[in-house]
Amino acid sequence: MLNRIDVRLNLARLLRIAAIGLVALVLMAPGGARIAAQSAYKTANSHTSIIPRKYGFFSADFAEAGLGLTFVGEWGTWCFAPGVEVGGRVYYAFGQTGARYEAVYLTFGYRAKQLRLAELDPATTVLRFDERYQQDVLGSVGFNHVFGAGTAIGIRGDAWRELGSPGFNQPSEVCVPGTFPGSGVVYTACSNRYVRNTFESLPDLWGGQVRMDVTLAVAEIGFSNTRPTVALVAGGSADFLESANAMVSLGVGVAIMPASYPGQSIVTVLAGLNDAFDANGVAPSFNDRFVVSLALGIPFPTVLRR
């Protein structure tokens, strides 16, 4: 239950609440950061399948310059956590013995993202720049088994329908000449766009992902009864899309996990390969596939504490 906030707030608490409001405004703004339904970090090309059992949190992913808010409410053992851009999750936790428990969950949602296109008509060699929105409707089912503080395994399967999809293609830099109006000065304008050799509409495709995540506690920090745990983090996924080869992604790292917030991490440092084997020939360079990430996750009670 949320702590009661009365009018006798000190300056530190006012600053905390101001920070919360600022993050909320960023998220509600057009083109704002995504709301993550999973835990604070991403690895192996998507959010981890090990989810927080209770309490909401703020998150920041420095690899994508993204901010997030995740709300988790627990009534008994039933939970509901809005997220995945727009959507939600329900899950049921059972078999709890101390820090051990199991959970099954269902996720559903909707997401949209802008696609910047460079389309070439092969018959006329006309190049056209365009912007369209890809819309996805998605759902997933997952399972967590938590062995104890900092040690858990998660499995999840996702399925979605991409409306107006570029497939597994990646944007590339496209440059065209331009002239400043009234000056005659010629310049080169460049932007990252999906390159297509057609003016036809983008296809609607079915996609999906299966993934597994593991955290393994290796040490405890401090001497209190609620000391946090240092854990190794690993994840692997396979992505599927119509008319394309399956894409495998891998990630490993280290996380600090608080004992009081099951399934949540405070700091996570990760390295990995997205599309590790360049399954569809769109990321031939190792640098295109290698990713390093630093993610922070701050539980609401920590920020709102008196």
Side-chain angles (χ1 to χ4, degrees):
M1 181 178 295
L2 292 176
N3 294 328
R4 181 177 61 86
I5 303 177
D6 58 30
V7 296
R8 294 170 297 178
L9 297 175
N10 59 32
L11 179 59
R13 292 178 65 197
L14 285 172
L15 290 174
R16 293 190 187 105
I17 292 174
I20 294 171
L22 178 60
V23 173
L25 288 174
V26 171
L27 292 172
M28 291 186 291
R34 295 173 297 176
I35 298 176
Q38 285 83 1
S39 191
Y41 67 91
K42 293 176 67 175
T43 185
N45 203 41
S46 73
H47 286 280
T48 173
S49 59
I50 300 173
I51 64 173
R53 183 179 171 192
K54 55 184 177 179
Y55 302 110
F57 59 89
F58 302 98
S59 61
D61 188 330
F62 294 95
E64 297 185 349
L67 298 175
L69 287 175
T70 295
F71 301 95
V72 181
E74 181 165 294
W75 300 272
T77 53
W78 281 96
C79 304
F80 179 74
V84 193
E85 280 75 28
V86 177
R89 170 185 298 123
V90 290
Y91 78 78
Y92 180 69
F94 57 95
Q96 183 170 0
T97 305
R100 298 187 178 190
Y101 66 91
E102 294 177 301
V104 293
Y105 60 88
L106 298 174
T107 303
F108 53 92
Y110 165 86
R111 62 191 176 198
K113 65 178 181 180
Q114 187 182 52
L115 304 177
R116 306 179 71 187
L117 307 174
E119 299 175 314
L120 178 66
D121 186 336
T124 63
T125 67
V126 172
L127 179 66
R128 181 178 70 182
F129 283 8
D130 196 8
E131 283 76 35
R132 303 178 200 170
Y133 276 89
Q134 174 186 324
Q135 303 179 74
D136 301 345
V137 179
L138 64 153
S140 67
V141 58
F143 171 77
N144 284 181
H145 181 86
V146 179
F147 297 91
T151 300
I153 184 171
I155 301 171
R156 190 181 74 236
D158 301 340
W160 58 80
R161 181 68 166 172
E162 298 184 357
L163 306 176
S165 170
F168 277 142
N169 291 335
Q170 298 296 315
S172 56
E173 187 177 56
V174 178
C175 298
V176 295
T179 304
F180 283 107
S183 67
V185 176
V186 178
Y187 66 95
T188 300
C190 299
S191 58
N192 288 325
R193 295 179 177 269
Y194 292 93
V195 178
R196 307 177 69 227
N197 291 320
T198 178
F199 283 176
E200 295 180 2
S201 300
L202 291 165
D204 299 337
L205 301 175
W206 286 103
Q209 183 189 82
V210 292
R211 66 174 297 120
M212 176 181 289
D213 296 274
V214 176
T215 63
L216 177 63
V218 294
E220 293 180 331
I221 302 174
F223 302 96
S224 68
N225 293 329
T226 58
R227 52 189 178 270
T229 299
V230 177
L232 299 178
V233 177
S237 70
D239 285 82
F240 306 91
L241 199 62
E242 276 188 82
S243 305
N245 297 322
M247 185 178 75
V248 174
S249 301
L250 306 167
V252 294
V254 178
I256 298 176
M257 300 184 173
S260 302
Y261 306 98
Q264 176 59 18
S265 64
I266 299 176
V267 180
T268 312
V269 180
L270 292 152
L273 292 171
N274 292 339
D275 192 9
F277 308 107
D278 189 22
N280 296 282
V282 297
S285 169
F286 178 82
N287 290 335
D288 293 334
R289 306 191 299 273
F290 181 71
V291 60
V292 176
S293 174
L294 169 63
L296 304 179
I298 305 174
F300 287 159
T302 300
V303 180
L304 297 174
R305 185 173 297 148
R306 295 182 175 216

